[in-house]
Amino acid sequence: MSERLSHDPWWRDSVVYQVYPRSFADSDGDGVGDLRGIVGQVDYLSDLGVDVVWLSPVYASPHDDNGYDISDYYSVDPAFGTLDDLDDLVSALHERGIRIVMDLVVNHTSDEHPWFVESAAGPDSPKRDWYWWRPARAGAVGGQPGAEPTNWGSFFSGSAWQWHEPTGEYYLHLFSRKQPDLNWENPEVREAIYAMMRWWLDRGIDGFRMDVINFISKDPALPDGVVAPGQRWGDGSPHYMSGPRIHEFLQEMRREVFAGRDSTYLTIGEMPGVTIEQARLFTDPARGELDMVFQFEHVALDHGAEGKWSPRELDVVELKTSLARWQEGLADTGWNSLYWSNHDQPRVLSRFGDPDHWYASATALATVLHLQRGTPFIYQGEELGMTNVPFDSIEQFRDIETLNYFHEAVEEHGLAAASVLDALRRASRDNARTPVHWTSDAHAGFTTGEPWIAVHPNHDRINASAQRGRSGSVYEYYRALIALRHTNAVVVDGTFRMLAPEHPAVFAFTRTGDAERLVIAANLSAQSVELPADVDLRGTVLLTNYADPARARLRPWEARVVSQPT
Ligand code: TEU
């Protein structure tokens, strides 16, 4: 194995592994994953070769949105363990050279957070202005349909405003009504958040993944949004995505939280709706804002006219065009994050891959993602080739976004439950949230109790113990991909150039360094294809997912990486 290269900043050659604690590993048999469960698998993560763990929220929470509704930023929810357990996890990871970034959810809190409880106590509450409270629309009766201060829809169905009878006003919640939005216009709010972030850094964590961080600056005028045909609510996003003070707030956060500290931390901004132009500003090191952002363009390419619930077939040319634009757009400024999956997206293998070519499509998709320029993210179970779930009834779902949509679609819009269930099976976030498959045993070795959400029946054949150490497994292919990034500088720094952009199935590109060029090619279809003329795969084969690479053709979902001298 070649020497591990190092880069400055360190995260440039890192691979991040996302842990969704509720579904990773349960150590106490209560059916819910926890911190000691993760501690029990740190050697698995070390063996895989990842450099950073992104830990989705473990803070105290009523779990209305599985922890993305925080009621105390300074404590760990008993369902997940204790602060000591978290300290043990941080040191166990650090001992293995793995860093940890926490999830920072500060666009909103839980409505059970003391800040909101105090804010809702009355119009004169000293914390009233810590959230967005507004009277009913002029001339309307509070609580009545149409009286909402703006016509914005929530991400979880319904209005983005909740009438609060006791104090006679509405409060804003872009997500669930138990997730009221914080008012970042108020400097007290910002200072309280910066103090909390500093507290976590002092505990030894290495950075933050920041939840919908481009939503924190809203247009204080709170204008109505445009109502699309057939829709009830207006699209408020132009008034809260990357708002007027977003760069000011992110630069202030950098100064107040990270400046003057010895370590180099990692900051990743989740930014629905972010454009390349905006991402260049957010991730330009000279501007002192963020290191990278999560953009959503490629994970919306199979959304139909009605959005994610009316999925359509993925067009490979559209996918290549979108990813190439981001590669070229951040080539000289900023840095890309690279991901197919997370806890909000259905399983990539079922979505963009082909269960009939399970191994080849899982590894082909991994190849074309991991060898682009940027930092790759692996979502738990992706390295095992986990797939979407054959949910057969609404009772099996747990996700608030999914359940709210189902009830709105069936009860308000009169859609047939069966067709809505079809859409949920394809697009629901719960597809990503079923327990990780450690073994073929009961409950996939995730818990000795009753899991909070059903385990996928195919854990009998798709699981870690069946793949670790077995060449030709998806897990071992991910190990090889990660090792290539750690030992080949061109994977980290090489310039990106897309090849055969119009080819309907072949996803091919080069990464070029001073003395070496890598050619990466994958056939993202179930049909064997001729190699496009401008894809030259002669050279030293560094990685392939087929044992005997043929020269001029790519078989179904075949991927190959070759090295050529420049
Ligand atoms: O997600 C924000 C976000 O964009 C998602 O809600 C997305 O629109 C949706 O899931 C697509 O179906 C972040 C967290 O990742 C998500 O889990 C939380 O529910 C949300 O913020 C609120 O905190």
Side-chain angles (χ1 to χ4, degrees), residues 65 68 108 156 209 211-212 270 272 308 343-344 401 429:
D65 184 20
Y68 281 90
H108 45 267
F156 295 161
R209 174 266 186 192
D211 195 61
V212 285
E270 183 209 25
K308 66 180 282 182
H343 61 294
D344 290 336
E401 179 192 49
R429 307 190 300 178

Side-chain angles (χ1 to χ4, degrees), residues 4 11 24 49 65 90 122 154 157 216 318 320 434 470 474 498 547 561:
R4 165 76 198 247
W11 43 264
F24 190 70
D65 184 20
V90 172
S154 156
S157 303
I216 60 179
E318 278 183 12
K320 296 190 290 184
T434 58
R470 186 172 65 74
V474 177
M498 183 64 86
V561 182

Side-chain angles (χ1 to χ4, degrees), residues 111-358:
D111 65 345
E112 298 182 28
H113 192 294
W115 294 347
F116 185 76
V117 174
E118 185 179 346
S119 182
D124 310 327
S125 155
K127 283 197 169 45
R128 189 68 167 181
D129 189 39
W130 280 46
Y131 294 83
W132 293 86
W133 293 93
R134 289 292 184 279
R137 189 182 286 267
V141 178
Q144 296 308 306
E148 299 85 4
T150 77
N151 63 359
W152 300 355
S154 156
F155 277 81
F156 295 161
S157 303
S159 169
W161 293 91
Q162 175 66 29
W163 174 246
H164 189 254
E165 187 65 39
T167 59
E169 286 193 317
Y170 285 88
Y171 65 83
L172 176 66
H173 61 89
L174 291 177
F175 293 92
S176 91
R177 65 175 181 70
K178 287 185 66 58
Q179 291 169 297
D181 281 54
L182 280 164
N183 175 16
W184 275 67
E185 302 295 318
N186 183 332
E188 292 173 5
V189 168
R190 301 199 303 272
E191 185 36 48
I193 289 168
Y194 301 154
M196 177 266 289
M197 294 173 74
R198 290 189 292 265
W199 185 82
W200 279 107
L201 293 185
D202 294 345
R203 291 190 78 88
I205 69 158
D206 307 289
F208 293 99
R209 174 266 186 192
M210 304 182 184
D211 195 61
V212 285
I213 203 68
N214 63 329
F215 290 8
I216 60 179
S217 168
K218 280 95 172 159
D219 175 348
L222 300 177
D224 271 339
V226 173
V227 181
Q231 296 299 317
R232 168 138 182 239
W233 304 104
D235 172 14
S237 63
H239 310 302
Y240 60 72
M241 279 184 182
S242 300
R245 299 178 69 188
I246 186 66
H247 295 291
E248 173 199 344
F249 292 158
L250 292 176
Q251 289 169 9
E252 180 186 66
M253 177 197 279
R254 193 93 185 190
R255 282 193 312 275
E256 298 299 320
V257 175
F258 300 98
R261 287 176 176 263
D262 312 347
S263 301
T264 301
Y265 297 96
L266 174 57
T267 56
I268 311 145
E270 183 209 25
M271 292 196 170
V274 71
T275 65
I276 291 174
E277 295 64 38
Q278 292 167 334
R280 287 170 62 87
L281 298 176
F282 287 128
T283 63
D284 176 354
R287 292 172 53 91
E289 299 179 22
L290 300 172
D291 298 316
M292 61 187 85
V293 299
F294 285 139
Q295 55 95 359
F296 283 61
E297 204 174 277
H298 61 305
V299 292
L301 290 175
D302 61 348
H303 289 183
E306 310 293 311
K308 66 180 282 182
W309 304 118
S310 59
R312 66 179 173 90
E313 279 317 302
L314 173 76
D315 177 314
V316 170
V317 173
E318 278 183 12
L319 177 69
K320 296 190 290 184
T321 307
S322 170
L323 293 172
R325 284 182 50 253
W326 281 88
Q327 287 287 298
E328 287 140 18
L330 300 184
D332 56 356
T333 298
W335 188 255
N336 272 296
S337 66
L338 307 169
Y339 75 96
W340 288 134
S341 311
N342 58 40
H343 61 294
D344 290 336
Q345 305 294 332
R347 291 284 182 184
V348 67
L349 205 158
S350 304
R351 186 181 190 185
F352 296 160
D354 177 351
D356 297 338
H357 294 87
W358 174 73

Side-chain angles (χ1 to χ4, degrees), residues 476-528:
E476 291 301 327
Y477 193 91
Y478 269 84
R479 283 186 74 234
L481 264 177
I482 296 168
L484 189 57
R485 176 171 289 274
H486 289 164
T487 55
N488 185 306
V490 177
V491 172
V492 177
D493 300 315
T495 55
F496 172 96
R497 188 165 72 83
M498 183 64 86
L499 300 172
E502 296 311 316
H503 195 287
V506 174
F507 190 135
F509 55 96
T510 59
R511 302 288 311 281
T512 306
D514 301 342
E516 179 182 16
R517 172 190 315 108
L518 302 181
V519 184
I520 296 99
N523 170 12
L524 302 188
S525 78
Q527 288 68 45
S528 177

